[in-house]
Amino acid sequence: MGFYPQYAREQLVSNSGWGADMAESGRPSIYTLELAAEVCRRMEAGESVRSICRSEDMPDEATVRLWARENREGFSAQYAMASETRMDCLADEILEIADDRSGDPARDRLRLDSRKWLMSKVAPKRWGDRTIHMGDPDAPLVVEKVVVEFVKAKD
């Protein structure tokens, strides 16, 4: 059962009145390639991890994030790619929200700004503000040496 070691799970079962069969059933927490692929597929379709994990047949949100952190069977790379692909869906949503004039303008503005902010944080190279610190191949920084000579004025 999730993050609980065996002794803690036994305490949870005995203290909560659950039967052992109830403690074993419920949300999946064991990593499988099929489950990981389904999480990533749904992320790439635009769903958030929180939304995906609300489904009864999906693991808890913390479990999915643990799989990514621990890189279970290469899940970190799949998760990162799915997160970036999800940003394309958010870009499409931004266009839909902007084109739909039937909603509350203040609420729509909040929805737009929230998506733009998230996109800039998850995929900053692609969706973040561009700040050039070292020069750009198309517009390189030019360093010029300027020599100033002071001459003493005659009285």
Side-chain angles (χ1 to χ4, degrees):
M1 179 173 166
F3 299 108
Y4 297 110
Q6 182 63 30
Y7 70 91
R9 186 175 68 78
E10 289 168 0
Q11 283 294 98
L12 179 66
V13 169
S14 64
N15 291 341
S16 66
W18 286 0
D21 59 330
M22 291 181 76
E24 295 298 329
S25 64
R27 293 179 171 272
S29 61
I30 306 294
Y31 180 87
T32 66
L33 292 174
E34 295 78 20
L35 202 52
E38 178 64 12
V39 168
C40 290
R41 185 195 65 74
R42 289 175 64 177
M43 285 176 66
E44 289 173 344
E47 264 187 274
S48 69
V49 174
R50 178 162 291 161
S51 172
I52 294 166
C53 293
R54 284 187 190 126
S55 301
E56 289 298 319
D57 60 337
M58 286 288 146
D60 186 71
E61 180 181 351
T63 301
V64 172
R65 295 191 195 284
L66 178 69
W67 294 347
R69 238 185 355 268
E70 291 180 347
N71 195 22
R72 300 257 177 102
E73 298 185 37
F75 183 66
S76 289
Q78 294 172 338
Y79 183 86
M81 190 175 296
S83 292
E84 283 212 30
T85 303
R86 182 170 176 257
M87 296 305 105
D88 293 331
C89 292
L90 290 181
D92 290 340
E93 285 181 20
I94 286 173
L95 293 175
E96 288 174 5
I97 293 167
D99 291 342
D100 181 15
R101 300 189 188 278
S102 64
D104 174 23
R107 175 79 179 141
D108 288 348
R109 175 56 134 185
L110 176 63
R111 293 175 67 205
L112 291 169
D113 289 345
S114 298
R115 283 161 176 77
K116 289 189 311 188
W117 180 86
L118 180 64
M119 292 166 65
S120 73
K121 301 306 176 199
V122 172
K125 286 183 180 176
R126 188 163 177 212
W127 300 105
D129 294 331
R130 306 248 191 268
T131 303
I132 300 171
H133 295 286
M134 295 175 32
D136 182 349
D138 297 329
L141 295 175
V142 178
V143 178
E144 293 182 13
K145 181 178 179 181
V146 177
V147 178
V148 177
E149 187 175 318
F150 292 97
V151 179
K152 187 174 182 181
K154 294 186 179 182
D155 294 328

